[in-house]
Amino acid sequence: DAMVIQNPRYQVTQFGKPVTLSCSQTLNHNVMYWYQQKSSQAPKLLFHYYDKDFNNEADTPDNFQSRRPNTSFCFLDIRSPGLGDAAMYLCATSRDSGDSSYEQYFGPGTRLTVT
Amino acid sequence: GQNIDQPTEMTATEGAIVQINCTYQTSGFNGLFWYQQHAGEAPTFLSYNVLDGLEEKGRFSSFLSRSKGYSYLLLKELQMKDSASYLCAVRDSNYQLIWGAGTKLIIKP
């Protein structure tokens, strides 16, 4: 089945220790997104890629970086995680950000704990 | 600023009908989405509205009034598995999705 896969599902890291979260997709969608979601809050968009074009949200901290080496894979790097970065990180894909009807498909998320 | 408002929590009874409202103020409008999110899981797509009116999909229906900046999600014949958060999201003039914080729906037997 075509899908969005995130690894790991649960990640524990220490304060200040770099961590990388990964996302892959078999949907062949050209747009990929990274969201941060804290409990009972709206998903917050961190970045999105339209093909290889990188789009950084204005309020995404510099501590967060992203890479998309090819269509299928996307990575989220947190250079120095703080306690406030503990959250669910959701990867999503869609076919084309220029067509308003295309919904986003989400991976299962990675729950990050910072100790 | 851009804003999506939904009730924080609602409670309903198994077998009943519930309506979850969403009001929005965004810079432009290019469609409204409803997503379902079970606790600890990713959101899954439920419905999309871009024109005024009602879209029906099985037990779920979604309504849109663009002039009022208003939508609702109607769930019929509620089942225990419908206990989840329901997120409203609007695509703005830049085709970015603006998300609401979600409405937690609790179903009681």
Side-chain angles (χ1 to χ4, degrees), chain A residues 35 37 40-43 45 48 57 88 90 97-104 106-108 111, chain B residues 30-31 33 35 37 40-45 48 50 87 91 94-97 99-102:
Chain A
Y35 287 93
Q37 188 180 29
S40 301
Q41 295 185 20
L45 183 64
H48 75 277
E57 295 305 298
M88 175 77 90
L90 296 164
S97 66
D99 185 321
S100 64
S101 68
Y102 288 145
E103 70 268 29
Q104 294 182 10
F106 285 83
R111 181 163 296 283
Chain B
N30 280 299
F33 296 80
Y35 281 80
Q37 186 175 26
E41 297 182 13
T44 55
F45 170 75
Y48 170 75
V50 69
L87 292 92
R91 186 155 272 155
N94 293 319
Y95 290 90
Q96 297 289 356
L97 266 186
W99 292 85

Side-chain angles (χ1 to χ4, degrees), chain A residues 15-62:
Chain A
F15 183 94
K17 186 174 180 182
V19 66
T20 295
L21 310 182
S22 71
C23 176
S24 64
Q25 54 134 339
T26 60
L27 297 161
N28 204 31
H29 285 170
N30 55 336
V31 191
M32 292 187 79
Y33 309 81
W34 276 107
Y35 287 93
Q36 178 194 66
Q37 188 180 29
K38 297 186 177 180
S39 182
S40 301
Q41 295 185 20
K44 178 183 183 300
L45 183 64
L46 297 174
F47 318 96
H48 75 277
Y49 284 89
Y50 188 96
D51 293 320
K52 288 205 167 185
D53 291 337
F54 174 72
N55 296 272
N56 188 24
E57 295 305 298
D59 57 353
T60 298
D62 292 340

